[in-house]
Amino acid sequence: MTLYYKQTPKIVKIKNLPQHINEEVVIRGWIHHIRHQGKLIFIIIRDGSGFVQCVAKKGNLKSEESFSQLTKLSREAALALKGIVKKDPRAPYMGIEIQITDIVKLFHPSSGTIELEIQPDSGPDVLLNKRHLVIRGERTSKILFFRAEALKTFRRFFENDSFVEVTPPTIVQTQVEGGSTLFKLKYFNEDAYLTQSSQLYLETAIFAFEKVYCILPSYRAEKSRTRRHLTEYTHLEAEMAFFDFDDLLILLEELITTVTNTLAEHPIVKELNPDFQKLEKPFRRISYSDAIDLLNKLEIPNEHGKPFEWGDDITEKPERMLVDHIGRPTFLTHFPKSMKPFYMKINDENPEVTNSADLLLPHLGEVIGSSQREDDYNTLLKRIREEGLNPEPYYWYLDLRKYGSVPHAGFGLGVERYIQWILNLDHIRETCLYPRLINRATP
Ligand code: 4AD
């Protein structure tokens, strides 16, 4: 019998054990926990699909030698076990227990003591240094599994709406979101950056596919040490041709409610965030100007402890206080031109503001940045110059306004922030396989 190929009929995934009650099966995985109690050994096995309790009783095993082998094992040993699947309401997982009949194969015993590596009271730095071990844990592996489910759900939405997934480069020579958060690098003899956003490349692709999206890393040399900032994050971005500002907000509402209300049914949301409420459309909309008035009315100060003035940045804390006051998802719209990048379309009625919207979520703040894009060649060129940028490297971006320019719009969503919000996690680092933070690029 092969133990390596998934086609092998006899190896049963732990999640499928309820279909094999009273049958003898082989399971394969790692010892998550092991406890000796008199003549019994209780072993929790983990195989990536779930956890199950297995019990070894001396007389039940094929040989005494197998039993004595089990007594010597410790956590994280990798093995394949044969046993009979039994229903047992006292068992900690699925109400199922496996009565071990044989060790089919011991791949590797553990050569260290994992209990000494991570302890229940280990601090965040130890846990991050040992993240390669921590991700095997029940809570962390659940969060990471859920992240994969969320990405699948987003992709399904895009597929159903005829978006095409594209893969822009992440080594680039143009900045998108301002110079202060750029990671610079030498690209042979030239200067280059790690991308801050794939937006400009997505804009090129709408002329080939009309509606496009990507799910790729973006990089920000963020100096801010907050519970929602990473230096490398997964950016879900989309761009749509023949879209004005209203179309954009309607699509965003549809995307966020559809994906969120699907995920709200997921057992991991029900377990980790049992109070989570499904979303209702429409979301609240409030302009930047009205938000400034409301912040002052609520006596929420700006980052310098002073009342807000028009043109001030609404930083993380007041932003969260604002959306918590409103109590539901909110589009903060029409930011001043002076605060936003060159690519945003200026509002027809008020040339001081842009057709832009951030989506704010209660307890988190901003999860999406979005706007209608400037589609006129001369206006765009002027705005690039006004920002002090050299238009030359943007020649390809400007060309888009020469050949078949159309009204278009797009957005970027921080995947980790979204997961943090829906699972109600304290810190964004919990949502990453290996978080990249201001003071950490290891492991
Ligand atoms: O608002 P941002 O900077 O928008 C853009 O980059 C646009 N070019 C996107 C587009 O229109 N295609 O970033 C978009 C989102 C934010 O709302 C936030 O969720 C996330 O990216 N984000 C971060 N997430 C984690 N750590 C950081 N340092 C982040 N910076 C932005």
Side-chain angles (χ1 to χ4, degrees):
M1 175 177 61
T2 167
L3 286 165
Y4 298 97
Y5 294 105
K6 61 182 179 199
Q7 295 93 324
T8 308
K10 281 201 170 164
I11 295 177
V12 173
K13 280 278 172 202
I14 288 175
K15 69 171 181 190
N16 296 331
L17 285 172
Q19 298 153 30
H20 295 272
I21 303 295
N22 296 327
E23 288 175 27
E24 187 167 64
V25 298
V26 174
I27 59 164
R28 179 184 54 182
W30 295 266
I31 296 186
H32 197 64
H33 193 262
I34 183 161
R35 172 168 64 92
H36 299 247
Q37 194 178 305
K39 292 200 171 92
L40 299 175
I41 307 172
F42 290 92
I43 306 176
I44 306 289
I45 296 282
R46 173 188 88 235
D47 76 348
S49 79
F51 296 78
V52 68
Q53 173 164 285
C54 307
V55 186
K57 193 174 168 193
K58 211 169 185 174
N60 285 355
L61 263 75
K62 210 170 155 195
S63 67
E64 282 214 4
E65 197 204 322
S66 306
F67 187 82
S68 104
Q69 235 182 340
L70 281 181
T71 60
K72 293 183 200 115
L73 293 180
S74 56
R75 274 175 61 189
E76 295 306 319
L79 75 179
L81 289 173
K82 195 186 268 185
I84 300 166
V85 186
K86 289 283 174 195
K87 265 196 181 157
D88 186 340
R90 293 165 305 171
Y93 301 95
M94 303 179 290
I96 280 181
E97 186 172 270
I98 293 191
Q99 294 174 352
I100 303 174
T101 51
D102 200 6
I103 302 179
V104 179
K105 188 170 171 71
L106 180 58
F107 293 91
H108 275 288
S110 294
S111 55
T113 309
I114 202 166
E115 287 85 347
L116 298 178
E117 308 259 7
I118 334 159
Q119 279 147 9
D121 57 351
S122 296
D125 261 337
V126 173
L127 293 176
L128 288 173
N129 285 336
K130 303 281 177 179
R131 191 138 174 101
H132 53 293
L133 303 175
V134 169
I135 56 173
R136 305 173 181 199
E138 241 182 293
R139 176 180 161 87
T140 307
S141 61
K142 264 186 196 148
I143 294 170
L144 295 175
F145 181 79
F146 178 77
R147 180 189 160 112
E149 299 280 270
L151 288 174
K152 252 195 272 179
T153 312
F154 277 111
R155 282 205 164 88
R156 207 175 303 133
F157 178 92
F158 285 124
E159 249 166 55
N160 289 341
D161 207 8
S162 306
F163 278 76
V164 175
E165 182 169 5
V166 293
T167 310
T170 56
I171 299 176
V172 301
Q173 293 190 305
T174 43
Q175 52 171 284
V176 196
E177 297 299 325
S180 67
T181 62
L182 271 182
F183 275 111
K184 296 198 175 84
L185 59 105
K186 267 276 168 254
Y187 189 71
F188 305 102
N189 291 325
E190 292 182 39
D191 288 333
Y193 315 116
L194 296 178
T195 193
Q196 296 169 302
S197 157
S198 298
Q199 176 195 321
L200 307 189
Y201 291 96
L202 290 183
E203 286 186 62
T204 67
I206 57 170
F207 298 87
F209 303 115
E210 189 187 332
K211 292 194 290 191
V212 291
Y213 78 100
C214 66
I215 303 179
L216 285 175
S218 278
Y219 301 88
R220 306 279 169 110
E222 296 276 4
K223 303 283 173 346
S224 29
R225 222 183 263 263
T226 77
R227 55 180 202 99
R228 62 171 212 193
H229 280 94
L230 295 162
T231 54
E232 174 180 353
Y233 70 97
T234 305
H235 208 169
L236 182 151
E237 295 183 273
E239 202 66 30
M240 298 75 65
F242 309 109
F243 253 62
D244 68 11
F245 189 55
D246 284 333
D247 297 320
L248 171 68
L249 298 194
I250 292 168
L251 174 85
L252 285 178
E253 253 167 17
E254 190 62 31
L255 169 75
I256 295 301
T257 46
T258 306
V259 170
T260 302
N261 292 349
T262 305
L263 290 173
E265 303 281 344
H266 199 285
I268 294 178
V269 175
K270 289 194 192 275
E271 183 185 334
L272 298 185
N273 191 7
D275 296 330
F276 187 78
Q277 300 281 328
K278 286 193 176 176
L279 299 181
E280 279 173 27
K281 288 185 286 190
F283 296 167
R284 174 82 189 272
R285 296 179 189 193
I286 179 170
S287 71
Y288 169 87
S289 299
D290 288 346
I292 294 294
D293 292 345
L294 180 57
L295 284 162
N296 285 335
K297 204 172 121 208
L298 296 170
E299 298 185 349
I300 298 171
N302 70 11
E303 58 181 333
H304 308 295
K306 302 257 166 56
F308 271 95
E309 286 181 23
W310 201 88
D312 281 353
D313 194 12
I314 305 178
T315 50
E316 183 183 355
K317 194 171 168 205
E319 179 186 87
R320 212 176 39 242
M321 289 170 86
L322 179 76
V323 64
D324 286 353
H325 169 78
I326 294 171
R328 42 192 268 239
T330 299
F331 285 121
L332 185 52
T333 68
H334 301 100
F335 286 90
K337 176 181 142 189
S338 56
M339 290 172 62
K340 289 291 183 186
F342 61 87
Y343 57 74
M344 291 191 178
K345 178 116 182 129
I346 306 291
N347 186 264
D348 282 341
E349 278 139 44
N350 179 359
E352 288 310 308
V353 303
T354 50
N355 283 352
S356 53
D358 283 357
L359 178 64
L360 314 184
L361 297 173
H363 310 303
L364 177 87
E366 181 194 335
V367 71
I368 288 178
S370 74
S371 70
Q372 186 177 352
R373 316 308 189 188
E374 183 51 69
D375 49 45
D376 176 67
Y377 181 89
N378 290 321
T379 316
L380 183 63
L381 184 60
K382 189 164 150 258
R383 295 217 51 213
I384 289 177
R385 289 203 171 111
E386 275 171 6
E387 271 202 29
L389 295 169
N390 172 11
E392 205 270 322
Y394 293 89
Y395 74 94
W396 51 275
Y397 188 65
L398 284 156
D399 268 358
L400 309 179
R401 279 71 183 168
K402 281 193 197 162
Y403 302 107
S405 191
V406 284
H408 65 286
F411 66 91
L413 170 143
V415 169
E416 290 83 2
R417 282 195 191 172
Y418 178 80
I419 308 283
Q420 184 187 1
W421 170 72
I422 195 167
L423 294 182
N424 192 25
L425 305 175
D426 271 351
H427 200 290
I428 195 163
R429 63 182 173 229
E430 287 198 81
T431 66
C432 309
L433 191 62
Y434 293 101
R436 292 295 178 249
L437 303 160
I438 181 166
N439 53 357
R440 173 169 300 275
T442 306

